Amino acid sequence: MDFIEELTWRGMVHTMMPGTDELLKKGMTTAYLGIDPTADSLHIGHLCGVMMLRHFQRCGHKPLALIGGATGMIGDPSGKSAERNLLDEATLRHNQEAIKKQLSKFLDFESDAPNRAELVNNYDWMKDVSFLDFSREIGKHITVNYMMAKDSVQKRLNGEARDGLSFTEFTYQLLQGNDFLHLYTEKNCKLQLGGSDQWGNITTGTELIRRKTGGEAFALTCPLITKADGGKFGKTESGNVWLDPRYTSPYKFYQFWVNVSDADAEKYLKIFTSLTKEEIEALKEEHEKDPGARPMQKRLAKEVTVMVHSEDDYNAAVEASGILFSNKADEALRHLDEKTLLDVFEGVPTFSISKAEIEAGIPLLDFLATKTAVFPSKGEARKMVQQGGVSINKKKVSDPNATIGADELLNGKYILAQRGKKNYFLIIAE
């Protein structure tokens, strides 16, 4: 496979330095991509860069994932309007381990292959460098005029940031340039990958390598991912979509992908999966014949959920997704863990009720109209039960004289009441 060809048809090339293609055609090349370690999980905003590394390795080249331990202590001004929080070393090391575990699902770190991936942390080579040494060895090679011309610096100086640009942030591009220089000399790394907002920092590195060693290094960036409606990719009302199931459950993760628009689905299949051009074309044709079946979104959601989580998590997410639309989902409902149950029924009205009362047994009509407000009155509740319009835990209830007891509790705590086809209520026993 040809890396540039692969990225180009996938729409993953924004800017590329002349000579990059020729470098890659000469044989196995080493490239690195920087990852910000400010959290102990990646989110889907990182995925385009991670997929670049994945394709790079699949094409026979050697990927380096650089954890920005030193630079994470400072913060990169690119695309930001405020400085970041600075992290201590213990937090950085914890975050690094967590991120490596996630990257292992995309990259081969363990085999004996010559192009196996490596994880490096710039804190390891920056922690003992003094300010005087850095100024003498690095600072003298790059002029202030060169640094001032960068877009990321100009935007901050021209009023986009409330507090201007600190010296710490201004020197960030020198630190990133020094990373490239270090990996160039220590690991023969001749290419840096990144998002298009990193172009200025990356080219500072290629310039530093040229001036300090006389050598040649290269740069390739991918576009910043957007949604078809112009909205920001990867953000939901509740914030980032994380890869760690502690922060975003596999169900919610799956839901994010299955609910993207048709225009975005085709684009995201190219960027976030390893499906071939032919497979994506076939999915597009299938989608055009029956858009309502959403084959592109379903395949996208499957590929990414299995890659990030597992086949079991994907199957559980699909089963959970079907609960709302199926009248025979009582068994599936009982299999849901508490977090997924709450995710599936997020936003539905809730009522609290005494667990002791449930365990003692509550007459159904009292449960629906007195202890909770699922119905405004017992009369209305009785009428709808008799008409077959009431379900408890997705199971129709036909006897108005039935009793609700401890057997109905899901995860020992919840009961799902349904009035009609679309009105759900979650009763919490406390």
Side-chain angles (χ1 to χ4, degrees):
M1 281 168 56
D2 182 290
F3 180 63
I4 304 299
E5 234 174 66
E6 186 72 12
L7 255 56
T8 302
W9 78 259
R10 290 183 182 276
M12 293 173 73
V13 177
H14 183 273
T15 317
M16 181 171 65
M17 195 173 278
T20 304
D21 198 13
E22 290 78 1
L23 169 76
L24 295 170
K25 281 184 164 64
K26 287 177 185 172
M28 188 181 82
T29 303
T30 301
Y32 91 91
L33 178 128
I35 294 170
D36 175 20
T38 48
D40 63 354
S41 173
L42 302 173
H43 54 74
I44 60 173
H46 292 106
L47 273 185
C48 184
V50 173
M51 290 304 292
M52 287 174 84
L53 287 180
R54 180 178 172 88
H55 291 308
F56 194 69
Q57 190 172 42
R58 288 174 68 226
C59 291
H61 301 294
K62 184 178 179 68
L64 305 177
L66 180 140
I67 299 294
T71 38
M73 288 182 161
I74 294 169
D76 174 10
S78 303
K80 307 292 184 301
S81 57
E83 285 204 45
R84 293 181 181 170
N85 294 329
L86 310 186
L87 303 176
D88 59 57
E89 186 179 354
T91 304
L92 285 167
R93 292 298 182 193
H94 164 73
N95 292 355
Q96 175 182 330
E97 285 310 305
I99 289 168
K100 183 176 182 183
K101 192 175 174 186
Q102 291 181 336
L103 288 173
S104 296
K105 296 192 173 184
F106 298 84
L107 302 170
D108 166 26
F109 287 97
E110 304 302 328
S111 78
D112 296 329
N115 70 326
R116 73 177 177 276
E118 285 184 49
L119 191 81
V120 292
N121 187 334
N122 59 14
Y123 184 74
D124 294 333
W125 58 83
M126 285 299 299
K127 63 183 176 184
D128 297 324
V129 176
S130 74
F131 182 72
L132 291 176
D133 287 342
F134 189 79
S135 297
R136 187 179 68 242
E137 297 300 324
I138 302 300
K140 72 176 184 181
H141 292 284
I142 301 291
T143 66
V144 169
N145 300 35
Y146 180 87
M147 294 169 71
M148 290 283 287
K150 299 293 184 184
D151 281 349
S152 58
V153 172
Q154 285 298 314
K155 284 177 182 174
R156 292 291 291 273
L157 291 176
N158 291 337
E160 286 192 14
R162 190 175 61 232
D163 302 319
L165 181 71
S166 70
F167 172 77
T168 306
E169 290 183 295
F170 180 59
T171 55
Y172 184 93
Q173 59 178 289
L174 287 182
L175 291 169
Q176 188 166 328
N178 184 56
D179 289 341
F180 202 173
L181 174 65
H182 176 87
L183 294 174
Y184 178 88
T185 53
E186 298 297 318
K187 302 222 175 249
N188 196 30
C189 176
K190 294 186 177 177
L191 175 63
Q192 187 179 164
L193 307 170
S196 57
D197 60 333
Q198 291 294 308
W199 183 255
N201 292 335
I202 296 173
T203 51
T204 296
T206 62
E207 184 66 8
L208 182 61
I209 287 166
R210 186 185 70 78
R211 293 186 184 188
K212 196 155 168 56
T213 72
E216 199 172 15
F218 300 87
L220 188 153
T221 62
C222 62
L224 294 181
I225 310 303
T226 55
K227 294 197 291 187
D229 63 8
K232 191 167 183 182
F233 167 76
K235 290 280 185 184
T236 64
E237 286 178 13
S238 53
N240 286 323
V241 179
W242 298 94
L243 273 55
D244 191 314
R246 291 174 302 160
Y247 306 136
T248 301
S249 69
Y251 167 78
K252 273 198 166 177
F253 187 85
Y254 169 83
Q255 283 293 317
F256 173 84
W257 298 102
V258 88
N259 286 313
V260 302
S261 70
D262 289 358
D264 286 332
E266 183 185 354
K267 177 175 158 186
Y268 295 168
L269 277 165
K270 292 175 181 174
I271 295 171
F272 299 113
T273 78
S274 298
L275 295 178
T276 64
K277 199 173 187 176
E278 293 71 28
E279 286 172 314
I280 294 171
E281 282 300 320
L283 277 169
K284 189 181 171 187
E285 284 177 29
E286 186 186 341
H287 193 96
E288 284 166 358
K289 288 174 190 169
D290 185 7
R294 300 170 72 77
M296 287 200 298
Q297 285 91 338
K298 286 177 180 174
R299 185 63 183 276
L300 170 69
K302 177 178 183 177
E303 292 291 321
V304 186
T305 305
V306 170
M307 183 165 56
V308 169
H309 294 291
S310 70
E311 188 95 34
D312 286 345
D313 286 325
Y314 160 72
N315 290 330
V318 172
E319 189 173 47
S321 302
I323 284 172
L324 288 171
F325 310 104
S326 168
N327 294 323
K328 298 176 181 176
D330 51 310
E331 277 306 308
L333 189 63
R334 289 193 176 275
H335 293 153
L336 291 188
D337 60 86
E338 183 177 15
K339 183 164 176 42
T340 306
L341 176 73
L342 294 176
D343 283 344
V344 172
F345 295 100
E346 185 179 27
V348 308
T350 60
F351 300 107
S352 290
I353 199 165
S354 156
K355 191 170 185 180
E357 283 188 86
I358 293 277
E359 287 170 344
I362 302 176
L364 175 65
L365 299 184
D366 285 341
F367 176 79
L368 294 172
T370 306
K371 302 294 182 183
T372 69
V374 173
F375 285 90
S377 69
K378 285 188 185 182
E380 282 193 47
R382 178 186 295 277
K383 188 177 176 184
M384 194 165 258
V385 168
Q386 289 170 335
Q387 291 171 349
V390 175
S391 294
I392 298 294
N393 295 340
K394 295 299 288 184
K395 209 169 186 176
K396 279 203 185 300
V397 185
S398 54
D399 180 6
N401 299 313
T403 300
I404 299 296
D407 288 349
E408 307 297 343
L409 291 172
L410 305 168
N411 290 291
K413 189 176 179 183
Y414 304 97
I415 296 174
L416 182 72
Q418 187 177 350
R419 188 185 77 209
K421 285 186 177 179
K422 295 182 179 176
N423 299 303
Y424 289 96
F425 303 86
L426 195 62
I427 291 85
I428 304 166
E430 295 176 312

